[in-house]
Amino acid sequence: MHDLAMQLAIIGIAGIASQWLAWRLQIPAIVMLLGVGLVFGPLTGLMNPREDFGELYTPLVSTAVAIILFEGGLTLNLREIRETSTAVRRVVLVSGPMVWLMTALAAHYVGDMAWPVAIILGALLVVTGPTVIMPLLRHARLRTRPGSILRWEAILNDPVGALFAVIAFEAYLVLRGAHDAEHLILTTVAAIVLAILGGIVAGRALTTFFARGHAPEYLKAPILLAVVVGMNALTNLLLEEAGLLTVTVMGVTMANARLASLAELRKFKETITVLLVSGLFIILTASLQRSVILSLEWRVVVFLALVLLVIRPIAIFVSTIGAGLGFRERLLVSWIAPRGIVAVAVAGLFGTTLSRIGLEDADRMVAYTFAVVAATIILHGFSLRPLAQLLDLRVTNRPGILIVGASRFSIALARRLKAQEVPVLIADANWSHVSEARLAEVDVWFGEILSEEAHHSLDLSRFDHMIAATDNDAYNALVCTDFGAEIGRSEVFQIGSTAGSQQTSGARHAMHFTIGGMPLFKPPRSYNDLRDNVIDGWTFQATRLTAEFRLEQFHESRPEGTLPVLWIKPSHEIVFAVGEGAGEPATGDTIISFGPPRAEREQEKIVRGTLTEREARREKARKTSEEVSRQSEGTS
């Protein structure tokens, strides 16, 4: 297929479809993308993007990788690694060169590659792709320290590994007499200095430019994208692929600046990154030649075993000595190192150049890189979660609920959830409210939930749902809007109504429908309503449905007005009654309901005429008389 427009359309649709299918099947998306690329390219010959795109292939891939790394840098806040900064530095600065050296030795002596190719391959395999690590970390729900190390390593090692490969390639050209050693040293030093300083200057300049209002909101994201592409191209003029370091430093610089619009910019970049990762991985895999895949022999199996089971563990365990990590954390980090799109992209770039120079092993280097990428994606992608669970490095095996606002209502709900072994945390900035929750033996977080400190110190991966239950409907809506992007808009709930009091004040007092979360009750109940219910004796109850006690019996046995809040399935999944597509609880589910005390049920019967008030008084008097008579007979 040589129609580029049709190729791009097919790649785009297939990439996003793969992402969606991977989400539905709960498997790493890169696995799906790898399979689609192999089908489009080597297996069927449907397309060969390297040939079809021609001279545009290399700059397009380089630019796309730069944007991906910049977006990764935007997620790195220095406050997150206060506990793991020593470990991160050692993993990048000590472990990286060790992996380079040992992998080069394995490629030469086991893979039988020429030294120039083996050294470049060793540099390429230093990287651990953030495009693979990020989805895996979201799925695995690791504890803070190992998750932070893997994320920082993945983002920082990508430009470092690419620079190692460039330096190795330039050194080979020096040996061939293409240019002198002094030129290489000066160029390398200048490129690194320019990359670091240029990234910092560009990041701070853009932050100041945006913060002072020199650009309207609708132009901030386009300006940012244009600067990223420009800085990448500018640094690459001095040293190939050095632009990757520039944009990574630029992203980290902006991530640690106090920029109000950073959240919106990050969302835009995340959308672009998903599209680029989906398309790039298919393009790079489809460009792989069938002959290159068939050239793989038994040596690649031994090479993979050395890379995964010997080289990486040795490098991690040696570099993290005295870094404050436990044995289980070091073991997990030593195993998890999936390679991704940067390794494939840079391997393709240098493979083409080395083949043109005349090195026969260049194509094998590309094949070995793809083999490592495929093996690590599959092995690490499917083993991270069970290994983390085995080593007790996951946050929790059960979905939790974050409750904002400590009141008698929310504390009672938290206690009932805790009794059902549901992880629950109450956050509130009022110390007296927090104290009441602590006295009730509920886990609390004292502080402003919308503060920067909360976003760094609260591990949101522990919570699948959030309830905003303060006495301010507008604040509840703001909290749900802020956290909805991370937890999921369908998983954030609030008491009161996002619609405001339309019946009394009119539409001008109503909030926009895009603001806030879903009402916890239908129809919505205000903070004052729930407070009065608690004062009147309403409580939370947990009721398990069985084959004998079904949903119908539950409704019949509850006092009138009882409100089912949520139910907990045997798999520990939590379903809110007002959630989209919630359905009805089934046998085995435990319903958490909020309702009046049972005594009110008798009063309801009186009102309905089932038992008149006079008959009730007579019956009570009769029983009292009989009791007195029995006591008199016993005394006599």
Side-chain angles (χ1 to χ4, degrees):
M1 180 184 297
H2 300 291
D3 187 332
L4 291 184
M6 182 58 70
Q7 275 200 39
L8 290 174
I10 293 175
I11 290 171
I13 293 173
I16 298 304
S18 299
Q19 292 274 4
W20 177 83
L21 188 59
W23 169 75
R24 292 290 298 178
L25 300 177
Q26 291 294 298
I27 63 175
I30 301 297
V31 175
M32 297 292 299
L33 296 171
L34 180 67
V36 171
L38 290 174
V39 171
F40 283 176
L43 298 183
T44 65
L46 180 65
M47 61 179 68
N48 187 347
R50 184 185 297 277
E51 293 182 358
D52 297 336
F53 288 12
E55 295 181 357
L56 290 175
Y57 180 84
T58 299
L60 285 176
V61 169
S62 176
T63 302
V65 171
I67 295 172
I68 292 170
L69 287 184
F70 172 75
E71 192 275 331
L74 279 180
T75 66
L76 298 181
N77 194 297
L78 296 176
R79 299 180 64 183
E80 296 179 3
I81 58 168
R82 284 177 292 191
E83 286 186 83
T84 58
S85 58
T86 301
V88 169
R89 284 198 303 269
R90 292 189 182 182
V91 167
V92 174
L93 300 178
V94 179
S95 173
M98 291 178 64
V99 169
W100 183 8
L101 174 62
M102 290 187 287
T103 305
L105 292 172
H108 177 70
Y109 289 108
V110 176
D112 196 26
M113 294 183 185
W115 274 115
V117 179
I119 293 173
I120 293 175
L121 177 61
L124 287 174
L125 296 184
V126 168
V127 305
T128 55
T131 55
V132 187
I133 280 289
M134 299 303 189
L136 294 184
L137 293 180
R138 283 195 295 267
H139 183 62
R141 300 160 63 95
L142 291 183
R143 294 185 186 272
T144 302
R145 287 203 304 187
S148 176
I149 292 173
L150 290 173
R151 186 155 57 90
W152 276 79
E153 179 198 14
I155 295 173
L156 296 180
N157 261 0
D158 265 16
V160 170
L163 275 180
F164 285 168
V166 170
I167 293 172
F169 176 71
E170 293 293 332
Y172 173 68
L173 294 182
V174 168
L175 295 176
R176 286 176 56 92
H179 49 242
D180 52 43
E182 292 80 4
H183 175 268
L184 171 62
I185 295 174
L186 290 175
T187 301
T188 303
V189 172
I192 293 175
V193 171
L194 175 63
I196 296 176
L197 294 181
I200 295 174
V201 171
R204 290 185 174 178
L206 270 180
T207 301
T208 304
F209 185 75
F210 290 159
R212 292 182 178 178
H214 295 313
E217 289 297 323
Y218 75 93
L219 277 182
K220 287 183 178 180
I223 290 173
L224 187 61
L225 187 61
V227 172
V228 169
V229 174
M231 291 300 296
N232 175 62
L234 181 64
T235 315
N236 283 346
L237 291 176
L238 192 58
L239 184 65
E240 194 70 31
E241 302 305 324
L244 300 182
L245 180 59
T246 305
V247 297
T248 303
V249 173
M250 180 179 163
V252 175
T253 301
M254 295 191 69
N256 291 273
R258 300 183 66 85
L259 184 62
S261 57
L262 183 62
E264 288 75 17
L265 293 175
R266 188 181 290 123
K267 291 175 186 176
F268 170 77
K269 300 295 290 182
E270 286 175 354
T271 302
I272 295 259
T273 298
V274 170
L275 292 170
L276 291 177
V277 168
S278 303
L280 266 185
F281 216 91
I282 292 177
I283 288 174
L284 293 169
T285 311
S287 299
L288 190 62
Q289 298 297 311
R290 186 184 305 177
S291 59
V292 174
I293 297 178
L294 296 177
S295 67
L296 296 174
E297 68 281 333
W298 63 269
R299 295 177 183 274
V300 73
V301 177
V302 180
F303 178 77
L304 285 172
L306 289 174
V307 169
L308 299 181
L309 302 177
V310 178
I311 296 174
R312 169 76 176 181
I314 289 177
I316 292 298
F317 272 93
V318 171
S319 63
T320 55
I321 293 176
L325 298 180
F327 174 79
R328 292 177 300 166
E329 293 170 323
R330 296 167 75 189
L331 181 62
L332 180 72
V333 173
S334 70
W335 168 245
I336 302 299
R339 276 65 170 186
I341 204 161
V342 173
V344 174
V346 179
L349 172 66
F350 287 119
T352 302
T353 306
L354 292 174
S355 296
R356 193 163 52 244
I357 292 175
L359 282 174
E360 297 180 356
D361 292 332
D363 287 338
R364 294 181 62 233
M365 179 190 73
V366 177
Y368 270 56
T369 304
F370 265 95
V372 172
V373 169
T376 53
I377 286 174
I378 294 173
L379 294 177
H380 297 165
F382 288 105
S383 65
L384 174 57
R385 187 168 180 172
L387 179 61
Q389 188 167 344
L390 179 65
L391 297 176
D392 193 26
L393 293 177
R394 296 191 68 208
V395 173
T396 177
N397 291 330
R398 298 193 60 169
I401 298 178
L402 171 64
I403 302 177
V404 180
S407 63
R408 293 179 63 182
F409 167 82
S410 60
I411 293 173
L413 173 59
R415 293 185 64 183
R416 176 54 60 188
L417 291 171
K418 184 178 179 181
Q420 298 300 314
E421 300 183 351
V422 174
V424 62
L425 176 74
I426 292 182
D428 200 305
N430 187 309
W431 177 250
S432 62
H433 294 173
V434 169
S435 299
E436 292 180 20
R438 294 180 63 189
L439 289 174
E441 299 182 344
V442 175
D443 292 337
V444 299
W445 189 84
F446 174 57
E448 172 54 60
I449 194 65
L450 294 177
S451 67
E452 186 178 1
E453 178 65 25
H455 281 263
H456 296 317
S457 61
L458 274 179
D459 185 5
L460 290 179
S461 63
R462 298 165 51 197
F463 307 107
D464 290 78
H465 316 276
M466 190 193 73
I467 300 174
T470 72
D471 59 355
N472 188 321
D473 286 354
Y475 181 77
N476 292 338
L478 179 61
V479 169
C480 289
T481 302
D482 185 65
F483 283 85
E486 190 159 353
I487 298 179
R489 289 302 296 269
S490 61
E491 304 299 340
V492 291
F493 304 86
Q494 67 177 92
I495 63 173
S497 172
T498 59
S501 181
Q502 293 185 4
Q503 295 178 350
T504 58
S505 302
R508 70 176 58 191
H509 295 282
M511 286 177 281
H512 197 271
F513 71 92
T514 60
I515 298 176
M518 301 182 66
L520 186 60
F521 299 103
K522 289 184 179 179
R525 300 173 75 88
S526 69
Y527 177 89
N528 292 337
D529 293 336
L530 297 173
R531 180 197 58 194
D532 293 342
N533 290 150
V534 174
I535 292 175
D536 292 340
W538 285 44
T539 59
F540 286 95
Q541 299 293 329
T543 308
R544 185 173 180 271
L545 300 184
T546 64
E548 294 77 21
F549 190 81
R550 300 178 182 273
L551 185 60
E552 295 79 8
Q553 286 76 30
F554 166 80
H555 288 302
E556 292 174 359
S557 63
R558 298 293 97 186
E560 186 173 338
T562 297
L563 303 170
V565 180
L566 57 89
W567 52 87
I568 307 167
K569 292 185 171 296
S571 62
H572 305 313
E573 178 187 358
I574 297 174
V575 180
F576 280 78
V578 297
E580 297 178 358
E584 292 185 344
T587 300
D589 296 349
T590 300
I591 301 176
I592 304 297
S593 59
F594 181 58
R598 292 183 179 275
E600 288 194 27
R601 185 174 179 84
E602 298 301 323
Q603 185 64 31
E604 291 165 8
K605 288 183 179 180
I606 293 174
V607 173
R608 291 198 304 265
T610 303
L611 185 66
T612 66
E613 189 173 356
R614 180 177 300 176
E615 289 172 343
R617 287 200 299 268
R618 287 179 179 175
E619 181 68 13
K620 183 177 181 180
R622 184 183 64 80
K623 290 182 178 180
T624 302
S625 177
E626 291 176 355
E627 182 66 24
V628 171
S629 298
R630 283 197 298 270
Q631 291 178 356
S632 299
E633 291 173 0
T635 303
S636 62

